[in-house]
Amino acid sequence: MRTFLRRAFVLLLLAPWLAVASPARADVACVQEQLTRLGFDPGPVDGALGKRTINAATLFARNAAMPLETLTTENSGEWCSAVSAFAATPAAQSIVTLDLSSEPAGILSDRDQQRLWEAYTTAPECFEHPTYGEGTPLGVPKLTADQFGAEAWKSPYTAVRGAAQCQSGPGSLVTPRPIAVVKLDEAYGERQHDIDIAATWFRRLTTYLRLTDDPVARTQLKQGVIEWARAGALGEGIHVSWGAQPVDYQMMAAILSILSATAEVAADFSAEERTVVGPWLNRLVAEMGASHWKDRSDNKAYMRTYAALIWGLMVGDDRPVQAAIDEFKLAIHDMRPDGSWPIDTQRGGMGLHYNSGNTAHVVMIGTALKLARGVDLFGYEVDGRSAHTAVEFVLRSIKDPVATNQQYAIRCPDGGDRFGSVDKPSMSFIGEAGYLTAYANLFPERDASRYILNSLAGEVDNDSEKSGGVPACLYALTGGVVNLAPLTMPEPPPPLPTPEHSVRTLEDIAHQVGRSVSVNSLLKSEIEGEKEGANELDFNVVGTFNYTTSSFFSFSLVINEPLGDRKPDGLSACGAKTRTYEDNLHRVIIDFAIDGTQYRAKRADCIIAALPKRPAFEAQFLIDSFADIAIGLVASGDVENLQHEGLQTFFKRVAAGEIVISR
């Protein structure tokens, strides 16, 4: 009896559902099928009316401007007819399937929002305050190799060529050696020089291609991406060890640079090539997307979001595109009414710099969507503030930097004060603010745009790792005719001698560049096979170069291992000179006597004997094995990344044995 009653009760509860199950589920499935065909995401076509289907239907009705009531099982038949009829019209081909206007999830309460904006007033140092709006991952779905092979890629950038902001030389045409394992230095402000060189190579060739549409540049850029993909570059060591172990900032900039290069030549990849590049780059962008930090309004979070957007636009996946739109909208909610960003403006001497970085990515998200999809996120407002407001605050930062920085910046010893102070903020962001020109080109009628185009022209349009290139070049609206000779691949060099030591050398700083007569470049070398800590060289090549003879007039090496605040007596007895920097510590200078192609170190034995063990090793290696350094530079192609033309020529001649360095 009890069993019978229980069954009867269950049937009574299910009776309404059973009455409508067959026709209603069929109608819901019809709506789901039509929405899917139109490009919306109602979930699986299973006839089940859930939140995902209702949200997709509501978005369709809003974007199609159709006065339909919220989808229910009762009106699903009406919905099926309406959506099916719309799908048969020409308007179906151009309907926007993205949610641009509804409020995103995660908006702070009025109380917490005010606390976020005012956190700087109670924090003893930057970031030392409660979290209002925790950082969360941004999902970038993994696609299969078959999916990459089946769907052609499309560049999200404009097709314009020859824009003034694209003025750039091509640099080296030799692909930098892929770096599979990265050795991070997690100290604030420290960089991996080989990563910087590679990322710059991708960005520079991308910019040159957009300037000239040169076929050799196009081929080399595509082949460079493929070569890095086949090598599984950046496969290990790109995450930091703290927090949620996000991808390191410099590695994110490198990934964005490669993604930007890939997007520029997206349509050139064959189906087979996409199955190679797609999964590799998908993994890197997904790792960026999964990265998150203490606060969601961190500049790196917006950089990650921009990369996800470019990826989604390129491969035709609207899921990361919609995620980027939602992050954009949430950013406008979190932004202060005056257009400043509440977390990064705290950062002491770099407050204006990081604030501009936030605005850069928000503006570029809006720019990319406006030009690639024809949708306008700049119109998304919260209590009157929008991305336009963020641009206006950056312009305040440029016009009155001290007062603007003092408004929100606080002490920030580990996140900004290394490069400035609250009262003397770093202005380095101006050179990387090319996004302002891209913005001004989109909205020329605005007062902010007129100031950008009239007062900042040429000052901001530089290559920027935050943007994956030059924003006003990537999103150029007007171009021109550029008459430059077509590029040709250089002849392969003759075989090099076999070195005694394998040495990898990279340029850290070039104080003189191009065809300057003066030479002063800081180089750093790593000797394979030596013990960790004893395998590094840090030295400057200094001199004056004779372009007629392709040799030096004067030539010296400065060993940068510090000797102390007093010049060692033994060096004085040798007649050796030293150099000091800001730390007032001495570094030994080794001068060379030049006789045709013979460069002999002056007083080498005396100097080496007078030096402590570590600098003595460096001096001896540099003099006795300088040819190995040159061979390593030429064999790896890194010689092409040297910024001084004379120094490039010199190292090539040393590698070929035409110039001999000795004691």
Side-chain angles (χ1 to χ4, degrees):
M1 183 68 178
R2 289 180 179 178
T3 301
F4 172 81
L5 290 175
R6 279 199 300 269
R7 289 176 177 173
F9 181 71
V10 170
L11 289 173
L12 182 64
L13 289 175
L14 292 177
W17 183 86
L18 291 172
V20 299
S22 180
R25 288 182 75 90
D27 288 335
V28 170
C30 163
V31 174
Q32 291 169 332
E33 181 179 5
Q34 294 298 333
L35 289 176
T36 300
R37 288 180 177 176
L38 288 168
F40 293 88
D41 182 21
V45 180
D46 57 5
L49 183 59
K51 184 177 180 181
R52 193 168 168 186
T53 299
I54 293 172
N55 288 344
T58 302
L59 179 59
F60 161 77
R62 183 192 306 132
N63 290 1
M66 297 186 70
L68 292 167
E69 297 291 333
T70 301
L71 175 63
T72 65
T73 52
E74 286 75 15
N75 65 12
S76 57
E78 177 188 349
W79 265 86
C80 174
S81 300
V83 181
S84 299
F86 180 87
T89 67
Q93 303 302 314
S94 58
I95 186 171
V96 175
T97 58
L98 301 168
D99 182 0
L100 306 175
S101 57
S102 66
E103 289 190 344
I107 296 174
L108 298 176
S109 67
D110 290 345
R111 182 182 180 186
D112 280 348
Q113 187 174 66
Q114 196 66 36
R115 286 177 171 176
L116 170 66
W117 292 346
E118 297 176 357
Y120 73 99
T121 62
T122 57
E125 292 181 1
C126 61
F127 313 137
E128 292 189 3
H129 55 75
T131 298
Y132 306 103
E134 292 185 0
T136 56
L138 183 150
V140 177
K142 295 282 187 70
L143 305 179
T144 66
D146 288 343
Q147 287 174 302
F148 287 124
E151 191 75 25
W153 292 347
K154 181 180 179 181
S155 174
Y157 305 133
T158 62
V160 172
R161 292 293 182 266
Q165 292 83 12
C166 298
Q167 292 294 331
S168 171
S172 170
L173 292 176
V174 179
T175 303
R177 185 169 63 181
I179 303 162
V181 180
V182 178
K183 298 179 181 178
L184 278 182
D185 182 344
E186 296 186 33
Y188 175 69
E190 295 302 316
R191 312 276 301 193
Q192 296 301 111
H193 304 295
D194 48 354
I195 294 291
D196 276 341
I197 288 172
T200 300
W201 184 89
F202 282 105
R203 295 196 306 273
R204 187 172 182 179
L205 200 54
T206 298
T207 302
Y208 188 80
L209 176 57
R210 292 190 62 81
L211 175 70
T212 64
D213 208 22
D214 186 277
V216 171
R218 179 177 294 278
T219 297
Q220 288 306 107
L221 192 60
K222 188 183 86 165
Q223 290 304 316
V225 172
I226 293 172
E227 187 175 332
W228 273 56
R230 290 192 191 281
L234 307 182
E236 296 180 32
I238 65 174
H239 294 261
V240 298
S241 60
W242 44 264
Q245 298 184 345
V247 175
D248 173 73
Y249 163 77
Q250 186 194 4
M251 302 306 115
M252 291 205 305
I255 294 168
L256 180 56
S257 299
I258 298 167
L259 173 61
S260 182
T262 307
E264 176 57 29
V265 293
D268 295 353
F269 290 97
S270 67
E272 182 181 354
E273 289 166 342
R274 291 195 301 272
T275 65
V276 174
V277 175
W280 169 70
L281 198 50
N282 195 170
R283 176 184 63 79
L284 292 176
V285 177
E287 287 190 40
M288 278 185 69
S291 299
H292 56 98
W293 297 265
K294 173 178 175 287
D295 299 280
R296 71 187 183 198
S297 54
D298 187 292
N299 67 92
K300 297 181 289 297
Y302 298 136
M303 183 181 193
R304 153 207 89 172
T305 302
Y306 175 66
L309 172 70
I310 295 301
W311 169 257
L313 291 173
M314 182 182 80
V315 303
D317 186 351
D318 273 358
R319 290 171 294 180
V321 174
Q322 184 63 60
I325 291 171
D326 293 339
E327 291 286 311
F328 177 102
K329 293 187 288 187
L330 199 56
I332 303 303
H333 283 271
D334 287 344
M335 184 177 69
R336 293 191 186 101
D338 63 359
S340 63
W341 303 100
I343 298 301
D344 282 314
T345 48
Q346 300 176 23
R347 298 183 65 166
M350 295 289 279
L352 303 183
H353 174 92
Y354 287 111
N355 181 84
S356 178
N358 285 9
T359 301
H361 292 115
V362 167
V363 166
M364 287 190 298
I365 289 169
T367 300
L369 280 165
K370 189 173 179 67
L371 295 177
R373 289 291 185 85
V375 298
D376 187 7
L377 276 180
F378 289 94
Y380 186 84
E381 291 190 357
V382 179
D383 298 331
R385 64 185 182 274
S386 66
H388 297 298
T389 319
V391 170
E392 290 161 3
F393 185 86
V394 172
L395 298 186
R396 271 184 53 197
S397 303
I398 295 173
K399 296 174 184 177
D400 191 2
V402 174
T404 306
N405 197 54
Q406 288 174 336
Q407 187 173 358
Y408 300 118
I410 58 178
R411 185 171 176 272
C412 198
D414 297 322
D417 289 343
R418 176 178 174 182
F419 304 106
S421 66
V422 171
D423 299 327
K424 294 182 179 180
S426 169
M427 299 299 290
S428 62
F429 70 91
I430 295 179
E432 297 181 340
Y435 68 91
L436 292 175
T437 303
Y439 167 86
N441 289 338
L442 281 180
F443 303 100
E445 76 287 350
R446 298 184 69 88
D447 290 341
S449 299
R450 284 190 282 270
Y451 175 80
I452 293 166
L453 296 175
N454 294 331
S455 300
L456 299 178
E459 190 175 353
V460 298
D461 294 314
N462 301 307
D463 175 59
S464 170
E465 66 179 13
K466 291 182 174 65
S467 312
V470 182
C473 174
L474 297 172
Y475 299 109
L477 300 182
T478 57
V481 178
V482 178
N483 294 313
L484 292 174
L487 296 177
T488 57
M489 287 300 295
E491 292 292 326
L496 295 170
T498 301
E500 182 181 351
H501 304 89
S502 179
V503 186
R504 179 80 191 281
T505 302
L506 298 171
E507 184 176 65
D508 191 15
I509 300 173
H511 297 286
Q512 302 292 335
V513 300
R515 290 182 63 84
S516 171
V517 173
S518 298
V519 177
N520 186 1
S521 290
L522 171 60
L523 304 177
K524 296 191 176 185
S525 299
E526 184 174 306
I527 310 164
E528 291 186 10
E530 296 288 338
K531 292 182 179 179
E532 190 76 24
N535 63 341
E536 298 173 351
L537 305 174
D538 186 324
F539 62 100
N540 280 61
V541 176
V542 180
T544 53
F545 195 77
N546 183 344
Y547 287 92
T548 302
T549 63
S550 297
S551 183
F552 276 89
F553 283 119
S554 63
F555 178 77
S556 300
L557 297 175
V558 182
I559 298 173
N560 290 316
E561 182 72 22
L563 302 176
D565 56 5
R566 291 181 65 248
K567 180 178 179 180
D569 294 337
L571 288 181
S572 298
C574 296
K577 296 179 292 185
T578 60
R579 168 180 290 183
T580 59
Y581 299 121
E582 293 84 355
D583 58 8
N584 294 318
L585 300 178
H586 288 262
R587 278 90 171 167
V588 67
I589 301 174
I590 301 175
D591 293 323
F592 285 76
I594 301 174
D595 182 8
T597 60
Q598 300 294 317
Y599 288 51
R600 291 187 172 87
K602 298 178 181 179
R603 303 172 293 276
D605 293 340
C606 181
I607 291 173
I608 292 171
L611 289 171
K613 182 177 179 180
R614 179 61 196 167
F617 164 77
E618 293 192 44
Q620 182 172 337
F621 191 93
L622 284 170
I623 296 169
D624 295 342
S625 303
F626 197 85
D628 291 349
I629 294 173
I631 292 169
L633 271 167
V634 174
S636 66
D638 291 329
V639 70
E640 303 296 338
N641 296 315
L642 300 179
Q643 298 178 63
H644 193 285
E645 291 183 24
L647 198 55
Q648 286 186 14
T649 300
F650 172 73
F651 273 113
K652 290 175 183 178
R653 293 193 68 195
V654 174
E658 298 173 11
I659 291 177
V660 178
I661 308 293
S662 64
R663 301 195 192 196

